[in-house]
Amino acid sequence: MLFKRYKNLHLIQTLDPLRDHCQIYNLMIGYEFPWEMTRALEVALMRTYCIPSISKLLDKTGEFYRRPQKRYDDTGIIVGEIGKWGYDSDRGKAAMQRMNAIHGRFKIDNADFLYVLSTFIYVPIYWNESFGWRLMCEQEKLAAFYFWREVGKRMDIQNIPETYEEFAQYHHDYEKANFRYSPTNKLIGEATRDLFLSWFPGWMSFTLKPLVYALLDETMLDAFGFEYPTPFLRSLLANLLKIRARLLRLFPPRNQPYFFIDHPIRSYPNGYDIANIGPEANKKR
C-alpha cells in the first residue's frame, strides 16, 4: 500500500523537469496535491494584493465587490485549464488567449506581472514544505518553475529569470521592497476574506475570520491592516494541517483527476465556455 502511495512520485522522478514539465505539473496539481495547491494558490493571490499598485488596479475594476465569487472561479478555471491540458493544447491556448485579453484592457507594470507569476511557483512550494503530505521532489519544484516560465512567455512578460534560484530571489526581493499597507490593499483583502467566509454558514464567520488571518504571515497582515491572530490559534491551525498531511499518507494514490475544473463551479452550475469567462468586455471601468 505504501509503495503504491508513492507511485506518482516514482514516476515523476524518472521524468526530466525541463522536457516533461507539463506532465509533472499535471500530476502535481491534479493528482498529488490538488487540495494543497488550491489553498496555496489562494494564499498566493492574496500575497499579490499586498502590493499597492496591484490592489489599486483591482479596486478600480470593481470586480472584487460586484462579483467576487465569479472572479475567483474565473481564475480557477484558467489555471485549471492550462494545468490539466497544457498551455499549448487547444483548451490551454483558449484559456491563455482569454487571460491575455482580460489583462490587455489594463496598463499593468511588467514588474508586477513578474511578481504575480513568481507567486504561482513559489507559494505552493513553501506551503508544501510546511503542510504537504509529502515533500515535493526536486523535479516537481523545477517543473513548476519551467511550467510557469513558459506561461509567462506566452503572456509576453519580459525579463523572466532564467533559473529557479534567480526567480526565487526576485520573488523575495520584490516582496521586501513593495509589501506595505495601503487602503486598497485592505479593501481587496477584506473582500477576499469575506468571499472565503461566504462558503460557510453565516454563524461560523465569527470563528472562522481569525482562522483566515492565521493562514497569513505577519508581512501580509501588516500590508492588509488585519489584526494578528493569537499564537495559540496560529499553532492550532498549523497542527491541524500537519495532522491532515500525516493522515493523507495512509490513503491510496488518487487515480482520478481532481483539478479545479473537475468539480462543480459555483458561478457556472451549467458549465462554461472559456471564451466567455471573466468580466464583460463592454463593462465600463
Side-chain angles (χ1 to χ4, degrees):
M1 177 66 73
L2 290 179
F3 177 80
K4 289 182 179 180
R5 184 67 177 108
Y6 293 92
K7 71 172 186 176
N8 286 330
L9 172 61
H10 297 151
L11 169 61
I12 289 168
Q13 290 176 324
T14 68
L15 300 174
D16 181 87
L18 176 57
R19 182 191 64 229
D20 305 315
H21 58 264
C22 282
Q23 181 181 357
I24 295 173
Y25 196 73
N26 176 283
L27 289 169
M28 291 169 61
I29 197 170
Y31 293 86
E32 291 292 271
F33 311 109
W35 187 88
E36 294 91 336
M37 293 289 280
T38 299
R39 301 290 81 77
L41 289 175
E42 289 167 354
V43 174
L45 287 171
M46 287 203 75
R47 294 192 79 83
T48 69
Y49 310 153
C50 296
I51 308 295
S53 58
I54 295 176
S55 67
K56 183 178 179 180
L57 174 61
L58 296 173
D59 176 68
K60 184 178 179 181
T61 70
E63 289 295 309
F64 273 84
Y65 314 123
R66 290 192 294 263
R67 291 172 289 272
Q69 183 64 60
K70 188 174 184 301
R71 191 187 187 283
Y72 174 92
D73 290 338
D74 291 340
T75 302
I77 288 169
I78 289 173
V79 174
E81 289 286 347
I82 63 175
K84 182 170 184 175
W85 305 112
Y87 46 75
D88 279 341
S89 67
D90 289 343
R91 294 189 68 88
K93 287 179 179 178
M96 292 291 304
Q97 183 179 26
R98 184 59 184 146
M99 176 173 62
N100 288 336
I102 294 169
H103 289 159
R105 303 175 195 171
F106 310 102
K107 184 175 177 58
I108 303 174
D109 187 78
N110 188 74
D112 287 345
F113 263 135
L114 264 177
Y115 172 67
V116 174
L117 189 70
S118 75
T119 65
F120 278 68
I121 301 169
Y122 299 103
V123 175
I125 291 171
Y126 302 148
W127 175 286
N128 172 264
E129 290 173 354
S130 297
F131 306 124
W133 68 267
R134 67 164 175 82
L135 290 177
M136 292 180 182
C137 65
E138 194 68 15
Q139 287 92 334
E140 289 169 316
K141 296 177 183 179
L142 289 175
F145 165 72
Y146 289 126
F147 180 89
W148 285 106
R149 186 178 70 168
E150 290 302 315
V151 170
K153 290 178 180 178
R154 288 156 177 78
M155 296 172 65
D156 199 29
I157 298 176
Q158 304 299 306
N159 304 318
I160 303 175
E162 290 296 320
T163 69
Y164 177 96
E165 293 77 14
E166 289 173 341
F167 208 5
Q169 190 62 52
Y170 177 90
H171 174 83
H172 291 299
D173 291 346
Y174 194 81
E175 288 192 345
K176 186 175 181 180
N178 292 281
F179 265 36
R180 62 180 184 275
Y181 173 80
S182 79
T184 53
N185 288 4
K186 186 168 187 178
L187 288 171
I188 299 300
E190 288 175 340
T192 306
R193 175 203 66 198
D194 293 345
L195 169 65
F196 296 156
L197 296 177
S198 74
W199 299 341
F200 302 91
W203 60 267
M204 297 180 67
S205 294
F206 180 78
T207 303
L208 292 177
K209 185 184 295 186
L211 286 175
V212 175
Y213 297 156
L215 283 172
L216 312 180
D217 63 34
E218 285 79 4
T219 62
M220 295 179 70
L221 294 169
D222 289 340
F224 286 129
F226 288 165
E227 61 191 71
Y228 278 33
T230 64
F232 171 78
L233 186 61
R234 193 182 286 281
S235 176
L236 175 64
L237 180 59
N239 286 331
L240 288 174
L241 289 170
K242 290 175 181 179
I243 291 171
R244 176 188 179 276
R246 294 190 187 100
L247 291 175
L248 280 179
R249 295 172 195 166
L250 305 177
F251 282 53
R254 185 181 295 278
N255 293 316
Q256 297 297 321
Y258 197 69
F259 294 85
F260 180 84
I261 56 177
D262 289 328
H263 53 81
I265 299 174
R266 290 179 175 89
S267 301
Y268 301 93
N270 299 315
Y272 60 87
D273 181 346
I274 295 174
N276 293 327
I277 66 170
E280 298 174 18
N282 61 353
K283 182 69 70 176
K284 293 182 179 180
R285 303 291 173 215

